[in-house]
Amino acid sequence: MVFAGGLGLAAYHAGAYQAFSRRSTPLHWVAGSSAGAVTAALIAGNRSEKRIERLRAFWNFPPPENYRPVAWRHLYGWIGALGTRLIGSRGHFHPRMPSMDPFVFRSLYDLSPMRERIESLIDFDRLNTGEIRISVATTDIETGEPVIFDSSKTRIEVDHLMASCGFLPEFAPVELGGRLLGDGGLSLNAPFDPVLDSAMEGDLLMYVLDLYARDGAPPNSLEAALERKNDLLFGNQTFLRLKYCAELRRARRKLEDNASDSRDRIILLSYRPGAEEPGPEKSFELSSAALAQRWNAGTLDMDYAMGFSPDEQLVAVRRKEGGSPSQSVEPVGRRANMNGKREPEPPRRGEDLPGAGPHADPKLTDPGKTPGTGMLPETKDPNQSPTGSW
């Protein structure tokens, strides 16, 4: 499982892992950037029966089972995000006192509370035993190069996680081994590269949990435009690299094994916020309601994703058009015509995009926002079908 960065949006990871853990499916490798690296460490650094409890503790015990959408949720989202910007988030960070020297700057916020919380929730001896391999992505602030730490080669400590969360200017980078290292999202927001580059035997089943959706409705306001820009910056980075790296792995396996075809399966899930989220500031909305909504979204998405066996190597799971509760599994690529040839996928119209939020409440649905998570069907729902498009 690969967890992308996205600050408070990463509660989606926790819900997705909770759904995954219910199936008792073996998990051999986790990787992450920024908040995704923390998720990965909370999983790898705890016994299986304690992981959900520790994830809940990290996010201040959000109540996903009691979450109900309310009117004015979008306004409350902005109030929550602005409050986090002003005073920080309990157990995560608080504003840093500015230096008296105008030529000295570290960051806007101090992550010391999160360091203490991580040290109390993660058993680093267990994390480094190799039961679950973990890869943590960082970025060299001076050269811009991605730097990945892997538990099979390096002992992972709290400083590696803090470096991976060093998203300038909000959070400070960390010096490790003579290099100033910052947020992994500055180079590899979803660090699946070590997994796809590895020489592991057998076929791969990998879930990539992105927090920014590449596809979405055209913006109809300044707020929506700023949000869409962020989604494209990170979502495109993840999708384009994933498609390229998956093709490279398939070609390499064909050459090495002389196999006719790879049976690797890569499932891309993306968090799709609705009108309840405060646009470009959604990652700083850390209220219990927002965290619970994202946790539920991750649970629903992963429950559905684990209920099918796609034929394609790389598929993205997203809502079908019209905001209906059914979902579609969409192979990444182009649609085949009647002659079996590939033709370009026609552009999607804004009105064809899914309704917003896990509740799809028309009163809270904004067509300018990216698609919501909605309710997911039983896997035998006859209305769900592959569309053959991205």
Side-chain angles (χ1 to χ4, degrees):
M1 299 184 76
V2 179
F3 304 101
L7 197 61
L9 303 180
Y12 177 84
H13 296 155
Y17 176 75
Q18 183 175 39
F20 178 88
S21 65
R22 290 170 182 163
R23 305 289 185 102
S24 300
T25 304
L27 181 61
H28 305 102
W29 197 339
V30 290
S33 283
S34 194
V38 177
T39 301
L42 286 165
I43 293 170
N46 282 287
R47 297 196 304 271
S48 59
E49 64 271 18
K50 286 192 172 184
R51 290 169 187 163
I52 302 303
E53 173 194 342
R54 296 298 169 87
L55 287 164
R56 287 174 58 85
F58 180 80
W59 292 114
N60 292 322
F61 297 97
E65 65 281 356
N66 297 325
Y67 173 76
R68 296 291 184 273
V70 296
W72 305 102
R73 180 71 190 91
H74 184 66
L75 174 61
Y76 292 152
W78 270 104
I79 293 173
L82 292 175
T84 302
R85 285 286 190 180
L86 289 173
I87 64 175
S89 173
R90 179 171 59 88
H92 299 128
F93 57 87
H94 56 71
R96 185 187 295 276
M97 292 296 295
S99 171
M100 299 299 293
D101 187 340
F103 299 102
V104 174
F105 175 79
R106 289 197 64 193
S107 63
L108 296 176
Y109 302 100
D110 186 348
L111 284 172
S112 295
M114 191 174 82
R115 171 186 284 271
E116 295 176 5
R117 177 165 289 189
I118 286 174
E119 289 176 333
S120 68
L121 294 177
I122 295 175
D123 180 345
F124 282 91
D125 289 332
R126 173 175 290 275
L127 183 146
N128 287 284
T129 59
E131 178 182 346
I132 296 180
R133 183 174 174 180
I134 179 173
S135 299
V136 175
T138 65
T139 302
D140 189 310
I141 297 299
E142 294 185 76
T143 68
E145 295 178 357
V147 181
I148 298 178
F149 296 95
D150 194 293
S151 60
S152 67
K153 303 173 184 177
T154 305
R155 181 175 173 83
I156 306 296
E157 298 287 359
V158 66
D159 281 342
H160 296 94
L161 302 180
M162 302 307 295
S164 188
C165 294
F167 191 79
L168 292 170
E170 283 84 357
F171 307 114
V174 176
E175 185 170 341
L176 287 172
R179 308 175 75 174
L180 189 63
L181 301 178
D183 197 290
L186 298 173
S187 56
L188 302 175
N189 197 46
F192 43 73
D193 307 66
V195 180
L196 293 177
D197 290 343
S198 68
M200 66 173 66
E201 297 181 0
D203 297 324
L204 170 70
L205 173 60
M206 180 171 72
Y207 292 92
V208 179
L209 279 69
D210 199 7
L211 299 178
Y212 297 93
R214 178 180 184 250
D215 58 310
N220 59 3
S221 66
L222 175 60
E223 175 190 339
L226 291 170
E227 179 186 25
R228 190 75 195 108
K229 179 191 73 172
N230 290 340
D231 290 347
L232 286 168
L233 284 172
F234 288 105
N236 262 337
Q237 177 201 121
T238 296
F239 170 75
L240 295 175
R241 286 195 312 104
L242 181 58
K243 188 175 180 181
Y244 175 71
C245 290
E247 287 295 329
L248 281 180
R249 175 176 167 83
R250 179 160 58 182
R252 186 173 65 248
R253 292 193 68 190
K254 282 185 178 181
L255 289 174
E256 293 174 353
D257 303 333
N258 196 27
S260 58
D261 194 15
S262 168
R263 298 298 299 170
D264 288 347
R265 295 295 174 262
I266 302 170
I267 312 298
L268 174 63
L269 297 171
S270 298
Y271 172 59
R272 300 175 185 279
E276 69 279 353
E277 293 279 17
E281 288 295 309
K282 59 192 175 189
S283 64
F284 270 80
E285 221 293 58
L286 294 168
S287 69
S288 60
L291 296 173
Q293 185 269 117
R294 295 163 192 160
W295 189 298
N296 280 339
T299 301
L300 293 170
D301 285 0
M302 182 59 78
D303 268 337
Y304 175 73
M306 296 188 72
F308 62 85
S309 299
D311 295 327
E312 301 290 329
Q313 179 189 28
L314 172 59
V315 297
V317 177
R318 67 181 183 187
R319 180 194 297 275
K320 292 174 71 175
E321 57 276 338
S324 68
S326 57
Q327 293 281 321
S328 62
V329 183
E330 306 197 12
V332 175
R334 292 174 294 169
R335 179 175 292 159
N337 61 23
M338 294 298 292
N339 298 321
K341 297 181 180 179
R342 295 286 184 179
E343 61 184 19
E345 168 74 1
R348 301 180 75 205
R349 299 171 297 159
E351 60 267 28
D352 289 336
L353 291 168
H359 40 77
D361 186 337
K363 295 180 180 179
L364 298 178
T365 298
D366 180 353
K369 307 287 285 188
T370 49
T373 49
M375 297 301 293
L376 297 176
E378 296 296 329
T379 55
K380 296 181 180 179
D381 187 339
N383 293 322
Q384 62 189 28
S385 61
T387 64
S389 64
W390 162 247

